[in-house]
Amino acid sequence: MSDTEDVLSTAALWRAAGEQVAVATVTETWGSSPRPAGSQMAVTKSGKMAGSVSGGCIEGAVADAAMKTIETGTPQLLDFGVSHERAWEVGLACGGKVKVFVERLN
């Protein structure tokens, strides 16, 4: 089973147990990026997390966005890169760029 299948299986189990869940997926990378496109992370409203979209450097910001998406139901496309002022805050100062799509599981 691939890492992506593990994350989706875990998210499905959490959802089946009544948790509210969002899934974040790396849709695009450029330059130095810790995780390839297709990498996923699942987040629950209660704070559980599975998988990885960045090896840690932007996961806090992605988890915050996932919580907002769980609340609102509105998907988000997050864009992190060195030109983005949050890049230094979240630790993406490696010269790369990452786009992450966040959606709520219903």
Side-chain angles (χ1 to χ4, degrees):
M1 188 180 302
S2 74
D3 290 344
T4 298
E5 290 170 335
D6 288 343
V7 171
L8 295 178
S9 294
T10 299
L13 288 172
W14 288 340
R15 189 71 193 103
E19 290 268 14
Q20 292 180 296
V21 182
V23 174
T25 304
V26 175
T27 59
E28 185 180 333
T29 64
W30 178 87
S32 178
S33 173
R35 303 279 294 159
S39 297
Q40 293 186 305
M41 180 172 81
V43 178
T44 69
K45 186 173 182 177
S46 67
K48 296 176 188 169
M49 291 186 0
S52 174
V53 292
S54 72
C57 62
I58 61 170
E59 286 179 355
V62 172
D64 288 345
M67 291 295 186
K68 184 175 180 184
T69 293
I70 288 169
E71 288 296 320
T72 65
T74 304
Q76 299 179 66
L77 182 60
L78 310 175
D79 194 352
F80 297 98
V82 291
S83 62
H84 189 282
E85 64 259 5
R86 288 214 60 204
W88 295 99
E89 280 177 44
V90 299
L92 192 65
C94 54
K97 183 173 181 173
V98 178
K99 287 189 178 182
V100 180
F101 182 69
V102 182
E103 61 189 323
R104 183 174 71 186
L105 294 184
N106 291 318

